[in-house]
Each structure stands twice: as C-alpha cells, then as structure tokens.
Amino acid sequence: MLLEAPYRLFLFIALVGPLALWQDLHAQDIDSLLNNKRVYNSVSIGELPEPKIDGVLNDEIWSLGTWKGDFIQQFPNSGSPATEQSFFKILYDRSNLYIALICRDSEPDKIVDKLGRRDSRAGDIAGIALDSYFDKRTAFEFSITVAGQKMDVKHLGDWDFDFNWNAIWDGATTRTDTGWIAEIKLPFSQIRYANEAEHVWGLHFYRVLARKQEASSWDPIPREAPATVYLFGELKGIKDIRTSRQVEFLPYGLASASYTPGFTNEHPFDFNAGLDAKVGISSDFTLDLSVNPDYGQVEADPSVLNLTTFETFFEEKRPFFLEGNDVFDFDMDGDIPYYSRRIGSAPSFSNPYTHLTVSDIPNQTTILGAAKLTGKSKKGLSLGLVNGLTAGASGVAIDESGTEQEIEVSPLSNYMATRIKKDFQGGNTILGGVFSMVNRISPDSTSSQLLPTSAISGGLDLLHYWQNRNYYLQVKSIASQLNGSPEAILIKQLSQSHRYHRPDADYLELDDTRESLGGHGGLITIGKKGGQWNFLVQGQYRSPGLNLNDMGYLRKSDFLSQRMEGSYEMNVPKKWIRNYYLGLFQEAEWSFGAENTGNLVGLNFLIRNNALWSLKIISSYNFSSLDIRELRGGPALRNDPVFEGGLSLESNTAKDLSATLEYQYSALGMPNSMENTGMLSLTWLPVKRLKISGTVGLDQRKYHQQYVSTIPGNTSTEYVVGNIDRHTTSFTFRTELYLTPEMSIQYYGSPYYSVGQYDEFRRVDQSQARDISDRLEMLDLTYDPAGNSYSYVHNGETFQFGNPDFSFMQFRSNLVFRWEYKLGSTLYFVWAHDRSGWEPVYNPIGDIAGNLWGIKGNHVFMVKANFWFSL
C-alpha cells in the first residue's frame, strides 16, 4: 500500500499526459517545415583553379554561385530571425566541396575567440552538415571555430551525435571589422554517398554565438523538434563527381622507453611499427584494416576504487575502434553485446591454484590484427563487421618452494561482432540485428579450461516513429550462449552477474557438470520526445543465464523492471528566465524469483536564467527493497529506504572564467548512515591559447551494512557486514596550450585518495528482515594484530576474517605534445607517469597525502609519428 500513491501519480502522467499533447504548441509547425524545405543549388568551378584555404575569399571561384542567408534561431527564441546575419556559398569540382561562410557581427570586439581541443565547442562556431546518404537520419558535420579549430561530428538520428568520428579536411578563418569568415575544403572521399550521376543531399548550415548562447540555422529546426536530420534543407546541382571510393594509408612508427626507480627493466626500450589502411570497397562501404596496430591510448583512465559488485565501465579511446563505432550501437539501458575494449583487454584470469602464486599478468593482450567493414547503402541498409585476433599471454607462477614457471593466463582468441540495420518508410521504421562471438583457440591450455571456449550472443531490434517522429516505439531482444569446460561454466555461474549459488534462490540451480550456459533479455519502450510535454513507458528483463561479458558489457542479469517518466520543458525566454525543465520518474525492479529489488520515485528540475547561469535540483526516494548481489552469492539482503537530494550550480561557460558547483546528500536509512558528495570545477582562459581547468571532488560515505566477508564453516556459511566510514578525495588538473590549431601541449594530472575504516561488525542473521536488529547480529570480536584479522565464535565454531580497513592512493598523469604537421599526419611526444599504493590499514587522508610522492612510480616516454596518404 505504501507505493500506491506514487504509482497512481506516475500512471496518470503516462496515460493522461499524452492527451494534453494535443495542446502542445511548437515554435514551428513541423508539417509546414517538411513541406517547404529550403533548397540550395551548387555550381561547379569548372576549369578554375581550386582556392587557397586561408579564410580570405579573394580567389576567382568565389565570384561564382549564389550567397544564401536568412538564418533562423533554434534557441533561445526558436523560430525568430537570428540576431546577427550569416551567409554561405557552396561550390564544387570533381573531388571536393568548397564552402564559404560570412558571419556578420554588430559587436565584433565581443566575438568569443578561443582555441580548444579538436571537436570541443570553444567560442563562436559555424559549420555545415550533409545528409549524403539522404536517409533523413545520419549526417556528416564539419564545423570550425573563430580561432580556426576544427570539429567533425556524425549525426546519428534524433539528437544523438558521435564526436569520436574524425575526417581529413581543411579549413581556415579570418577576423574582419564586421565579423569573421570561414573557408572550408571538404574532399568527397571523407563522406559516403550513392554512386549516382546527380545528387540530392540533406543540407544544414548553423552558427553559434557563444556570448549569447544563441544557435541559428539556415534550415529552420525548432528546439522542440524530436529529431534534426529529417528537417534539413536540400543541396542540389552536384553531378559528375568522383565516387567516394578511395584507398587511404596511415603507417606509423613508435619508440618508447620505460623507467621505474629501484626496479630493473630487462627491456626498457621498445620500437614498434605498423600500418592502418582504409579501403573504399564501394561508394558507400569502407573496409578498415590494421597490420600490427598500435592501440595505445594517450590519456589514462580515471582512478576508481570499486567496492560494488559491478564491473567498472570505461569509455573507448582507441582510434581504430572509435572509427564507425556508431554502426554497432545496440544499447539496452547500458547493456551492450559489443564492447570494443574487450579486444586487447587484460587477461580475465582467476587463479584456481592454492599452491601457486601467479604474478606478472600483463595489463593488456597483444592484438595481432583487426579488420572492420562499415557503411550504408542508398537503399538504407547499414552494415558493420569487426574482427580482431589477440595473441596468448603468459604470467609467472611461483610454487611453495619458490620455483618459478611460465603459465598461460590468456589463450589465442578471436573476437567478432556484426551489426545490420535497414531503414523503411523514409527512416521512420528501422529493423536490425546484432551478432557477436568470441572463440578461444587453445582448448588444452590451462587458461582455456577456466574460460568458455566460445561465447555467442545475438539480438533483434525495431524502432518505429510516427506523427512526424514525435512518438516512437522501440523493441529490443538479446540472447547468449556460452560453451566450455565444466570448470569454466561453473566460474560463470558463480560470477557477480549470476550468483547461481545463492542459498535462498530456489529458482536457480547450480550445476558443476554443465558445459553451457544460456540466457535472454528484452526491452520495450514507448514514448514521445517532441514538443514541451514528453513521456516514456519502459519495461525490460534479463534472464538469470544471460551473459554478454566475454564480448560485450552486462551490468547484471536476473531482473524484470519497469520505468515511467513524464516531463515538461519551457523554452520561450521570459524577463528573467531563459528556460526550465521539470521531469518526474518512477521505476521498480524484481528478480526472477519475484523478490522486489527496487522501488524508486524522483524528480529532476533544471532552470537557466538570461545571464546563462543554470541550477539543477535532483531528488529521489528508494523504498526498502532487497539486494540479491551485495553478499556476493549469499542470501538477498534487505536495504533500508534511501533518500537522495542534490543540486548543481553552473556559471556562464562562455566567460573566460567559469565554475560548476555540485553537492549531493544521501540518507541511507539509519541514523548516522549517509553519504555527502561535493565537487567544484573551475575553468580559466587567461589568454586565447591557454586553458587551465581543475576539478576537486570530496566524498564521505557512512554505511551500516557494507559487505566485508564470506566465511565458509563446517556446518554453515557466515556473511559479515560492517559499518564503513569511507573518505575519498580526488583532484584533476588540466593545462592546454595551443600554439596553433594544429599544434598543442597538454598536461593531465590526477591524484586520488580513498581510505576506509570499519567498525560495528555484524553477522547476517535474518537477511530479509525489515528490523535491523533481526536482520543483523552484532559480533563480539577478538583482534589478532599479528595477522591483522578478527575472529568470533558462533554456535561453538570459530570464524575468522581479515581486517577490511584500507588506504589507497594513486597518481596518474601525462604530458603530450601533438602536432598535425600535415593533414591527417600527426607527431606525438608523450610522457606518461603512474604511481599507486595500497595498505590494509586505515590512515586519514591528511596523514598520508604526502606519502603518495614517496612511492616509486613508472615513467614511460614515447615518440610516435604517423603519415597519412591516399591513392
């Protein structure tokens, strides 16, 4: 009965809310825009020489063609004329598009002129996007800032973008006394299109005035529109151009040296070389190949100390896997069947030997080669295929006598993923499928006996829009199958994703003889995301046997859940308020054994004033529910109700000095059980070419039933929890100096501290009881300082567990000099540094802060150069 009122509220939003949408007033009439699209007709430059790309429009070709303008605001005043005039012109020859942009400004001294990273939105910007597939869903965008910094982005439909997509093109800008000018040369080889005599493409021109936070476009796109590309204007007149089929090569050479004070490195110097190639096998499909590829990433992953049962997810940063990665998208609320970081990742070796200590396990496996095919046909068929082969890896095993031997920790493995999608009804219906597979190729090896010999997953999806894409229905399904030795499948059954050995899960059966494990999952969502009123209703599930983590990423299985959302957004600026957003949500979750594992209601509120400061407020309440994973295979543990509230204040990011302040408080259901999290970020641009930023994070968590240990006994298994007092402090510092748009020096440094102290240890008694005195029993402990462990007696039997106190510190940094000395060709000088320390004792952060600098760290110096050329 406790949930009855919240459920009625959100059921009302989901069912009655859509009726109010008939009164939803759009800033622009979508039907009118679709029926009256703007058209631009380009002309060929003929025999005239191509222009010098310098931002000065004095070349002969710019006397040809027609200037177009009349840009319309997208925000803040959607549908109103832009406050500053902009004009563009498009010309072409057989191999390139030539684009000129004139951006007038009545206050040219106030133009925000900043340099930043490639693909970062720094200062005033203008650009072009081309729907060269003319599928009304995807587009290639090329933009440039006043300072001459390039941006290239791939539109993925709706309001989704892929900022990792990069192309090779040229652009330059100049400042004038009436504004600024941009000149762009765009090779046809960098976009994809059908092989036709004459082309019709979607066309989008836009401009951003940073000081006003104003965005305008030549092709009007209302802020409330549910998607963007289908509202593009049209580009006509381009004919008799080359096909986009091309062969590109990117050979590289890399030399590195590593040094750790106090340690002898037998191989401190290393040299590597390889080749990446891009082959246009047709006008709209591309094959990427790598021979001895270098998949190193320049910037380290952020420091994380994970005390949860879930695997930490890290973003992909390696260039080969980022290229065309959007084609493989099959996201099911965070679960994905293809997670590219599995290829070349650290061996997932779990030592099964009690008489051996295994060390020197490499932090990555060697990728012998990889290939990727991506593209989309003129009939709307999208295809993606990637295959990577990784070499076996070995570690060092030491037995009780001290004898060392080499042991395989990862076998030779082949990874493959495929994705296919087909557009129907002008992109309003998309059907697709996904398939991924891992094969481990040394079945007689030790590591292969502990890992599945094959892991297969596949799924189908449907996305359908109606009423001008305001409403949508999305359906996804996924299934998986693991095959391997009984030892390997048993490890999977016991893993954090499954926990088949839970003693209170009658619906699960642990079988140490099975040689396969299968499961399935699904998701269905119906909603609206155009206009001011929007809603979402979603249901999904993952069966207990579903496993995607050999090739994909699965946070958890064994659940059924539903979610409902309702929101309202005001985007018409008032006297003081620019816009605001209010969203309400509710979600609930159950295990396949009908255990209620989540009941949550909450709200989000965001308001922005006309000085471009914003305030965000979040609040949620999670009713008491069961956690079937906290005890790492033990019974379901009752969680007390949790209230969370937080706010975030952000200043005007267009200013040279900006800041963000965040605070969140969580009441964890018991007195003195809570979490406080604070974060302050500052960004300062003292001059155009220098950016300095820093973020400080502070977190304190006091929680009364943090998992400590599972202790097998002669007649029973004990589960011990404790009250944790954890303090985490982190600081991230970045300095970015841009000598030119193509040459930069960047420094990144991040010290991280996390310490935890436990007390009030309890054994789990009646794990699902709502009263904590019934749920947990306080322990009378004996401490052994020699072994840094505790012991207690229960039912005449002695149980022992280690002291869980900890002190962890880490510092990661790198210094990078980057120079794009030729289009597509880059030279890097890198110094990377890493040091970390762990102690099984608690020390206050203030006492150990300086100790981090006394730890011997690892230094890596690297020089890398690549050279791009095409045929």
Side-chain angles (χ1 to χ4, degrees):
M1 298 299 294
L2 184 63
L3 293 179
E4 184 176 349
Y7 270 105
R8 285 178 176 176
L9 171 63
F10 288 102
L11 191 61
F12 174 83
I13 292 173
L15 299 180
V16 179
L19 298 178
L21 299 178
W22 295 106
Q23 301 177 10
D24 187 12
L25 301 178
H26 287 230
Q28 295 277 356
D29 185 337
I30 300 295
D31 281 326
S32 175
L33 293 175
L34 290 171
N35 294 326
N36 299 279
K37 288 193 173 185
R38 292 185 171 183
V39 176
Y40 185 88
N41 289 284
S42 181
V43 298
S44 171
I45 68 172
E47 300 300 322
L48 294 178
E50 67 177 53
K52 179 182 179 182
I53 304 302
D54 55 7
V56 180
L57 304 181
N58 57 1
D59 301 278
E60 188 177 357
I61 72 163
W62 296 120
S63 63
L64 304 174
T66 304
W67 291 102
K68 289 286 188 179
D70 298 325
F71 280 48
I72 303 297
Q73 286 189 52
Q74 188 176 50
F75 59 85
N77 296 293
S78 184
S80 299
T83 60
E84 305 290 348
Q85 289 186 319
S86 305
F87 304 92
F88 70 88
K89 182 180 287 189
I90 305 175
L91 306 172
Y92 73 95
D93 60 20
R94 188 173 182 274
S95 299
N96 306 286
L97 273 183
Y98 303 101
I99 300 113
L101 280 153
I102 298 177
C103 302
R104 299 275 176 81
D105 200 308
S106 57
E107 299 177 287
D109 56 321
K110 294 184 179 180
I111 291 174
V112 182
D113 186 358
K114 303 176 181 178
L115 275 168
R117 290 185 174 193
R118 178 162 180 160
D119 294 338
S120 65
R121 295 187 177 275
D124 284 22
I125 308 168
I128 179 177
L130 297 169
D131 175 14
S132 52
Y133 287 125
F134 205 50
D135 62 359
K136 313 298 177 65
R137 282 188 52 79
T138 56
F140 303 94
E141 179 182 311
F142 305 87
S143 307
I144 194 164
T145 69
V146 180
Q149 191 68 58
K150 293 188 290 187
M151 296 172 50
D152 32 31
V153 181
K154 192 171 182 181
H155 293 239
L156 305 179
D158 301 337
W159 289 91
D160 297 327
F161 306 92
D162 178 12
F163 286 90
N164 293 313
W165 177 77
N166 287 314
I168 297 170
W169 53 286
D170 200 7
T173 60
T174 55
R175 292 281 296 270
T176 69
D177 56 1
T178 59
W180 60 286
I181 296 172
E183 189 175 21
I184 292 172
K185 175 184 175 181
L186 174 58
F188 289 126
S189 62
Q190 300 305 300
I191 59 177
R192 298 291 172 262
Y193 48 85
N195 188 13
E196 297 176 340
E198 186 168 352
H199 299 269
V200 178
W201 295 342
L203 177 64
H204 172 63
F205 269 98
Y206 80 98
R207 179 183 176 186
V208 173
L209 280 83
R211 70 180 184 276
K212 300 180 182 181
Q213 291 290 286
E214 176 185 311
S216 59
S217 62
W218 167 73
D219 45 323
I221 299 178
R223 180 168 183 162
E224 296 86 359
T228 56
V229 181
Y230 81 121
L231 293 172
F232 279 12
E234 293 183 358
L235 174 62
K236 295 182 178 180
I238 297 178
K239 55 186 176 180
D240 300 325
I241 61 174
R242 59 166 295 166
T243 66
S244 63
R245 194 178 311 178
Q246 182 162 330
V247 180
E248 301 176 5
F249 296 97
L250 189 68
Y252 79 90
L254 182 150
S256 64
S258 58
Y259 168 67
T260 303
F263 291 88
T264 300
N265 188 343
E266 296 181 359
H267 306 286
F269 301 100
D270 188 28
F271 177 79
N272 199 11
L275 173 69
D276 291 349
K278 187 186 296 291
V279 181
I281 61 175
S282 71
S283 61
D284 38 23
F285 285 92
T286 301
L287 178 66
D288 291 276
L289 301 168
S290 284
V291 179
N292 193 28
D294 167 50
Y295 290 141
Q297 58 190 61
V298 171
E299 185 166 301
D301 292 315
S303 298
V304 176
L305 182 61
N306 189 347
L307 297 182
T308 72
T309 62
F310 304 115
E311 176 188 4
T312 302
F313 183 90
F314 291 110
E315 295 292 336
E316 181 61 84
K317 299 178 181 179
R318 300 170 296 176
F320 175 86
F321 292 108
L322 290 173
E323 176 70 25
N325 204 34
D326 60 281
V327 176
F328 297 91
D329 176 58
F330 193 92
D331 188 289
M332 295 181 62
D333 198 24
D335 297 334
I336 51 178
Y338 168 54
Y339 179 32
S340 58
R341 288 193 63 148
R342 298 293 184 205
I343 306 176
S345 64
S348 55
F349 179 79
S350 178
N351 185 11
Y353 308 109
T354 58
H355 66 290
L356 293 177
T357 300
V358 181
S359 61
D360 290 343
I361 297 176
N363 57 13
Q364 64 184 27
T365 51
T366 300
I367 303 176
L368 300 176
K372 180 190 294 185
L373 175 67
T374 56
K376 186 172 187 177
S377 74
K378 63 181 180 180
K379 295 184 178 181
L381 177 66
S382 298
L383 179 65
L385 186 151
V386 63
N387 195 89
L389 181 67
T390 63
S394 300
V396 176
I398 305 175
D399 62 20
E400 297 168 346
S401 66
T403 303
E404 294 186 2
Q405 61 178 346
E406 189 176 274
I407 184 172
E408 185 181 76
V409 294
S410 179
L412 180 70
S413 303
N414 190 76
Y415 297 81
M416 184 188 75
T418 62
R419 180 75 162 110
I420 187 170
K421 291 187 290 186
K422 180 68 169 68
D423 295 356
F424 299 92
Q425 299 179 346
N428 286 319
T429 302
I430 303 100
L431 289 172
V434 65
F435 177 80
S436 65
M437 178 173 60
V438 179
N439 284 315
R440 298 182 172 98
I441 308 172
S442 51
D444 296 330
S445 70
T446 301
S447 59
S448 288
Q449 293 300 311
L450 302 176
L451 293 169
T453 54
S454 68
I456 300 172
S457 67
L460 300 172
D461 63 331
L462 164 70
L463 178 60
H464 177 65
Y465 298 97
W466 68 95
Q467 203 172 97
N468 289 333
R469 303 199 182 185
N470 280 276
Y471 295 86
Y472 69 96
L473 168 69
Q474 185 176 55
V475 181
K476 292 186 177 182
S477 64
I478 193 73
S480 69
Q481 177 77 17
L482 304 179
N483 297 293
S485 67
E487 294 84 359
I489 300 303
L490 178 62
I491 290 173
K492 288 294 186 180
Q493 293 178 79
L494 299 175
S495 69
Q496 60 87 13
S497 296
H498 304 287
R499 305 300 189 194
Y500 269 66
H501 52 307
R502 281 179 47 213
D504 58 345
D506 296 336
Y507 62 97
L508 299 176
E509 181 181 354
L510 182 67
D511 185 352
D512 59 5
T513 65
R514 67 189 305 172
E515 297 182 352
S516 64
L517 180 67
H520 46 85
L523 175 148
I524 182 169
T525 305
I526 186 170
K528 178 183 181 295
K529 54 182 176 181
Q532 295 175 305
W533 290 92
N534 289 290
F535 73 93
L536 173 149
V537 179
Q538 182 183 86
Q540 59 178 319
Y541 80 95
R542 312 286 186 273
S543 75
L546 182 67
N547 191 296
L548 305 176
N549 285 327
D550 287 71
M551 184 64 178
Y553 178 85
L554 177 73
R555 192 167 182 265
K556 61 183 180 181
S557 60
D558 189 8
F559 74 87
L560 305 97
S561 71
Q562 57 83 210
R563 179 179 178 90
M564 291 191 288
E565 299 177 4
S567 66
Y568 173 79
E569 185 169 8
M570 192 285 293
N571 286 319
V572 180
K574 306 298 183 182
K575 182 177 181 181
W576 303 107
I577 299 174
R578 186 182 177 102
N579 65 288
Y580 66 82
Y581 168 90
L582 175 64
L584 302 174
F585 61 90
Q586 170 275 329
E587 60 185 47
E589 183 179 283
W590 301 264
S591 73
F592 267 57
E595 300 150 307
N596 180 218
T597 54
N599 277 307
L600 180 71
V601 294
L603 65 87
N604 295 318
F605 178 70
L606 171 68
I607 187 169
R608 182 177 289 108
N609 66 14
N610 286 322
L612 303 179
W613 285 58
S614 62
L615 173 69
K616 182 177 182 180
I617 299 173
I618 59 172
S619 179
S620 66
Y621 187 82
N622 201 341
F623 297 87
S624 177
S625 58
L626 298 175
D627 190 331
I628 63 175
R629 296 173 177 84
E630 176 64 21
L631 296 181
R632 276 63 166 177
L637 180 65
R638 170 71 59 183
N639 278 336
D640 297 296
V642 175
F643 167 79
E644 293 185 351
L647 58 86
S648 172
L649 179 65
E650 183 179 69
S651 69
N652 184 350
T653 57
K655 299 292 186 181
D656 290 339
L657 179 63
S658 62
T660 301
L661 177 65
E662 296 181 2
Y663 173 74
Q664 182 169 323
Y665 172 79
S666 301
L668 302 179
M670 295 294 294
N672 204 34
S673 191
M674 54 78 185
E675 184 168 11
N676 284 288
T677 303
M679 187 273 288
L680 173 64
S681 294
L682 294 173
T683 301
W684 181 39
L685 288 86
V687 295
K688 168 184 175 180
R689 300 180 183 277
L690 179 63
K691 179 179 179 181
I692 301 171
S693 61
T695 300
V696 179
L698 302 173
D699 178 82
Q700 180 188 20
R701 178 179 172 86
K702 292 184 176 181
Y703 185 50
H704 55 280
Q705 56 180 34
Q706 176 68 45
Y707 171 80
V708 173
S709 184
T710 299
I711 314 172
N714 295 326
T715 59
S716 64
T717 298
E718 293 281 289
Y719 302 94
V720 177
V721 299
N723 180 55
I724 186 175
D725 185 2
R726 175 182 173 180
H727 297 257
T728 300
T729 300
S730 62
F731 177 70
T732 300
F733 176 77
R734 295 180 188 270
T735 300
E736 304 171 20
L737 175 62
Y738 297 92
L739 306 175
T740 70
E742 293 79 26
M743 184 184 296
S744 63
I745 301 173
Q746 300 175 12
Y747 175 77
Y748 161 87
S750 181
Y752 177 91
Y753 299 88
S754 188
V755 300
Q757 185 176 31
Y758 290 77
D759 59 14
E760 298 185 6
F761 294 98
R762 298 176 172 93
R763 60 175 295 274
V764 178
D765 189 10
Q766 302 174 46
S767 64
Q768 298 190 23
R770 293 184 179 272
D771 190 327
I772 191 172
S773 61
D774 295 328
R775 188 190 322 150
L776 305 174
E777 178 185 338
M778 189 70 73
L779 293 174
D780 182 13
L781 296 172
T782 301
Y783 178 65
D784 175 16
N788 193 27
S789 63
Y790 294 95
S791 63
Y792 68 94
V793 177
H794 180 67
N795 289 338
E797 186 175 355
T798 300
F799 296 89
Q800 185 178 40
F801 62 93
N803 183 358
D805 292 355
F806 63 89
S807 299
F808 174 72
M809 62 189 83
Q810 186 173 63
F811 177 70
R812 288 180 169 177
S813 70
N814 52 46
L815 180 66
V816 180
F817 171 80
R818 179 186 183 275
W819 177 29
E820 187 177 353
Y821 61 92
K822 174 182 174 294
L823 281 179
S825 305
T826 310
L827 175 67
Y828 293 94
F829 291 93
V830 180
W831 168 45
H833 175 69
D834 189 313
R835 62 179 69 194
S836 62
W838 168 279
E839 293 184 271
V841 296
Y842 168 78
N843 293 296
I845 292 176
D847 293 349
I848 64 172
N851 297 348
L852 178 60
W853 313 112
I855 299 172
K856 295 177 180 179
N858 182 53
H859 302 264
V860 177
F861 302 91
M862 181 179 72
V863 178
K864 178 184 175 182
N866 56 39
F867 181 80
W868 177 86
F869 64 97
S870 64
L871 301 178

